[in-house]
């Protein structure tokens, strides 16, 4: 646990001390008591020294620095990344956060993604997740580690598909939040989610043609996309962004609404934008393009529901023969 001071019952105390006494993370997961054997360790080297499995759940921008400060770990160690984001272009190929971890740690790295909003998982509500890892030996081990009655895990060897679904759905969720901020209804959001899933598939398949169709129907795909577009932090902050009408920056909204947590959708949008431009994908991905432009280029939020030129005809219906390329609009026209 990264050490920080908090106010607890009117007294300034270290968060780790409060957690180890109460088994409650009063800042980041209030109201949830974790099992007695879970301990907060502030010394990173001590925490990882004897670990058989490292589970990575931190903003991707801190990965390299964390590895540098870890010290020696067991040679037989395996890592599982829950990090949704951290994409870069290396030699024309899209690099994943799991690739970076594998390179830095020199051991097997898998990914675990799914419709897993933290508060609901902590409350013991039923959910699913998708484990992506190549080595069959580790598939069996890690499924036993994570799978339980209320948290069901399905394994696949499709690491890029699992990881990229986890990253890209946060960008689509920004679009869902824009719709909520404009007070559009369920029909509009459903259309956006469907188009978003299609564009996620187009983006992923461009760099990883071998990605399996079945991955998009796993928890890491359509399920995670749905839950994030209805209940995640990216949707929540995007709604606030629209309602602020340009008066608040993303940094301000993050500070006000997330209590120290990080907003991943905006970071991922910034990461994929130059990749989309470099590979001429913007016209093929009009929704992801529009989300970026609303978030960072002052494009009008209501344009999220205006089909830009370049939207594939398959996104809605086949255009009639002889069509001159009609521009469709759905949702409400802005007043004035």
């Amino acid at each position: 646990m990264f050490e920080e001071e908090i106010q607890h019952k009117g007294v300034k105390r270290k968060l780790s001390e409060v957690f180890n006494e109460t088994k409650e993370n009063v800042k980041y997961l209030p109201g949830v008591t974790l099992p007695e054997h879970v301990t907060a360790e502030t010394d990173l080297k001590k925490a990882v020294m004897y670990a058989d499995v490292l589970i990575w759940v931190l903003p991707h921008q801190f990965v390299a620095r964390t590895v540098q400060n870890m010290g020696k770990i067991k040679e037989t160690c395996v890592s599982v990344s829950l990090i949704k984001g951290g994409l870069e272009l290396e030699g024309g190929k899209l690099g994943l956060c799991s690739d970076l971890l594998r390179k830095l740690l020199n051991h097997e790295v898998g990914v675990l993604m799914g419709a897993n909003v933290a508060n609901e998982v902590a409350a013991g509500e039923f959910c699913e997740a998708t484990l992506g890892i190549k080595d069959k030996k580790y598939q069996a081990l890690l499924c036993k580690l994570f799978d339980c009655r209320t948290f069901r895990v399905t394994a696949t060897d499709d690491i890029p598909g699992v990881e990229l679904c986890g990253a890209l759905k946060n960008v689509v969720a920004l679009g869902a939040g824009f719709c909520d901020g404009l007070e559009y209804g369920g029909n509009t959001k459903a259309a956006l989610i469907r188009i978003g899933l299609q564009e996620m598939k187009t983006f992923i398949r461009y760099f990883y043609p071998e990605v399996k169709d079945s991955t998009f129907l796993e928890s890491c795909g359509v399920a995670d996309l749905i839950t994030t577009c209805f209940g995640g932090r990216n949707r929540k902050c995007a709604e606030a962004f629209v309602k602020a009408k340009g008066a608040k920056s993303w940094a301000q909204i993050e500070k006000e609404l997330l209590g120290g947590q990080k907003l991943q959708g905006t970071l991922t949008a910034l990461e994929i934008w130059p990749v989309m431009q470099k590979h001429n994908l913007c016209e093929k991905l009009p929704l992801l393009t529009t989300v970026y432009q609303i978030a960072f280029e002052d494009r009008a939020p209501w344009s999220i529901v205006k089909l830009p030129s370049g939207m594939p005809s398959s996104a809605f219906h086949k255009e009639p023969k002889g069509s001159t390329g009609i521009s469709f609009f759905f949702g409400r026209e802005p007043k004035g």
Side-chain angles (χ1 to χ4, degrees), residues 1-147:
M1 179 179 284
F2 288 108
E3 192 64 279
E4 55 185 305
E5 289 192 338
I6 58 165
Q7 286 289 334
H8 182 63
K9 296 182 178 180
V11 180
K12 187 177 284 188
R13 297 192 60 192
K14 292 180 178 179
L15 181 59
S16 63
E17 292 178 355
V18 174
F19 178 83
N20 285 331
E21 288 176 11
T22 65
K23 301 305 175 183
E24 178 186 355
N25 191 325
V26 294
K27 181 172 182 180
Y28 296 106
L29 199 62
V32 177
T33 302
L34 296 181
E36 280 296 319
H37 64 272
V38 179
T39 304
E41 173 58 69
T42 59
D43 187 323
L44 180 61
K45 290 182 179 179
K46 286 183 181 179
V48 304
M49 187 181 301
Y50 301 111
D52 296 295
V53 181
L54 297 174
I55 303 170
W56 295 80
V57 198
L58 77 170
H60 64 79
Q61 58 266 39
F62 302 132
V63 166
R65 187 175 71 192
T66 301
V67 173
Q68 289 172 359
N69 294 330
M70 277 172 40
K72 187 171 181 173
I73 58 175
K74 292 173 72 170
E75 291 183 3
T76 54
C77 197
V78 60
S79 282
V80 181
S81 172
L82 279 65
I83 301 169
K84 297 177 171 68
L87 311 176
E88 59 181 306
L89 208 61
E90 294 182 348
K93 183 92 171 170
L94 192 68
L96 307 175
C97 192
S98 61
D99 294 334
L100 174 63
L101 280 167
R102 203 172 290 109
K103 181 179 177 181
L104 294 173
L105 296 166
N106 197 30
H107 66 221
E108 185 76 14
V109 178
V111 295
L112 186 72
M113 307 282 168
N116 308 141
V117 175
N119 290 336
E120 296 175 20
V121 175
E125 297 180 16
F126 178 79
C127 62
E128 300 176 310
T130 311
L131 172 70
I133 195 162
K134 294 286 187 186
D135 193 312
K136 298 290 184 184
K137 173 183 66 178
Y138 287 120
Q139 275 191 15
L141 170 70
L142 294 171
C143 278
K144 288 180 181 178
L145 177 63
F146 287 109
D147 188 86

